Structures are given as structure tokens and as C-alpha cells.
Amino acid sequence: MGPPRPGHGPPGRLLLLAWLSFNCACISSAQLGRGEWTPWGAWSACSSTCGDGVALRTRRCLRFPGEELCEGEPRRYRVCQLHACPSGSVPFRAMQCSLYNSKPILGKPARYQWVPFYGAPNLCDLNCLAAGHNFYYTFGRVLDGTRCSPDSPELCISGQCLRAGCDGILGSGAQRDACGQCGGRNESCVLVQRVFRAAFPSSGD
């Protein structure tokens, strides 16, 4: 048998394998993109039984190692269509403040009764005023679905005030177009032109 041809011996084989591995890695990394979302899950039950409330649904991002995260949000919230709460019901934010009534704060022996305070910078923090005193305390965030202020159409979601679009989804920004379609492009309007002719009585001779 003759001597091995150049490039096919052990050193050449190692170089060939290294070259193939490098190129395969480059090709696979170039082909990798973003992950893909699973379909949206079912909507959860509403966060309240009357008044303001939100429902939640989620989805998962499926991706291979090296792929980028999916584009978009894993959670979506929509406004629940609920009947008005009975007269005399405690507002949602006030109820959350009242949970801390007569409980020790910062190790102090004094006990306070708490009511909502709306003068703090972040409206989605649970800012509660000590009744009969001139200070307030922040007990973390309010629960999702809490109205940002009594007269505001916006609701707190994950610490942010969000307004529902015409699709009922909080933060979607969806608006009705000139044709009245939610999220439309002014393409569904039908232009109707009518010509009205007035009939004048003929004049007699």
C-alpha cells in the first residue's frame, strides 16, 4: 500500500472535523430566531364579584437553547363586565387598606385605622392614610383591577395604570376607526349617496 494522501491522515482528519463543526455551528446559530408562543389559555375568573374587575389569561414561550425570547407579553388582562356593587359596599381600595386596621406597623405599639390616600406619586401603590393623623403608609402594590383613582377609567395592573381599548383588553390601545370598527382601518365604511329631487307643482296658465 502506498503512503497516505495528504489531508487524509490523523492531522488532516482532525482539521476537517474542526472545520465542519465550526461551519455547522455558524449555520445553526444563523438559523436560530425567536421562540414561539403557545396558544392563549382560557380566561380566569374575574377578580371581583361586582364593580371593577379584571380577568387574566397566559401563554408560554417555547424556544430552543440559543433562541431569543418570544416577542410580546405572556399575560393579557381584560375588563370584566360586572354589575354595580350594592349601595354601602366598601370600595376595593378601601377594603385593601382596612386589612391593616389595628395591626402593628414598623414595630410601633400604636394601632391605626387606614383609609385610601390618593396624594402619593404612584397611584398603583396601596397608599393608606392613618385616620385622624397626618401621615400615610405604603403597603406595597394594590391588587390587580384596582381603579387608579375614584373617577379614573384606568385600572392598576402589575403596578401600572392601564386603560382598556375598545376590545376590552387593558393596555392594548385599540380604538374604533371612522367606520366604528374596533381596530379597523377605515375600510369597512359604505359610502351612500342619495340625490333628492324636489317636486315643484307645475304652474297653471
Side-chain angles (χ1 to χ4, degrees):
M1 297 179 61
R5 287 178 293 174
H8 287 268
R13 186 179 299 274
L14 290 176
L15 289 174
L16 179 62
L17 290 175
W19 182 83
L20 288 173
S21 299
F22 173 78
N23 280 276
C24 289
C26 292
I27 293 173
S28 61
S29 62
Q31 292 176 343
L32 289 177
R34 292 184 179 275
E36 295 186 2
W37 290 110
T38 62
W40 285 105
W43 287 104
S44 69
C46 194
S47 61
S48 181
T49 56
C50 68
D52 302 326
V54 294
L56 163 71
R57 67 176 179 177
T58 61
R59 59 181 178 175
R60 295 178 57 195
C61 179
L62 302 179
R63 62 192 183 102
F64 292 102
E67 284 187 325
E68 296 184 23
L69 292 173
C70 300
E71 187 174 3
E73 298 296 329
R75 296 179 180 83
R76 179 173 287 178
Y77 296 85
R78 73 175 180 185
V79 177
C80 300
Q81 301 297 328
L82 300 173
H83 56 83
C85 292
S87 60
S89 299
V90 179
F92 195 28
R93 188 183 289 263
M95 181 273 294
Q96 295 173 61
C97 284
S98 69
L99 295 177
Y100 297 93
N101 287 348
S102 302
K103 292 186 178 180
I105 302 297
L106 299 177
K108 296 181 180 180
R111 300 291 188 269
Y112 303 100
Q113 304 297 303
W114 302 97
V115 295
F117 177 69
Y118 293 100
N122 191 342
L123 296 178
C124 289
D125 284 342
L126 183 58
N127 304 304
C128 304
L129 179 71
H133 301 271
N134 60 352
F135 70 93
Y136 74 92
Y137 190 81
T138 301
F139 297 97
R141 289 180 178 176
V142 296
L143 297 176
D144 286 343
T146 303
R147 194 168 289 275
C148 294
S149 62
D151 299 323
S152 172
E154 299 179 328
L155 301 179
C156 291
I157 297 295
S158 299
Q160 294 183 337
C161 284
L162 298 178
R163 183 188 297 264
C166 58
D167 54 2
I169 305 298
L170 287 162
S172 70
Q175 298 180 351
R176 296 190 182 277
D177 64 4
C179 305
Q181 295 294 319
C182 182
R185 299 181 179 179
N186 303 323
E187 298 173 347
S188 60
C189 301
V190 177
L191 181 61
V192 178
Q193 293 181 338
R194 293 182 180 178
V195 178
F196 294 91
R197 296 180 179 178
F200 295 96
S202 58
S203 58
D205 294 332

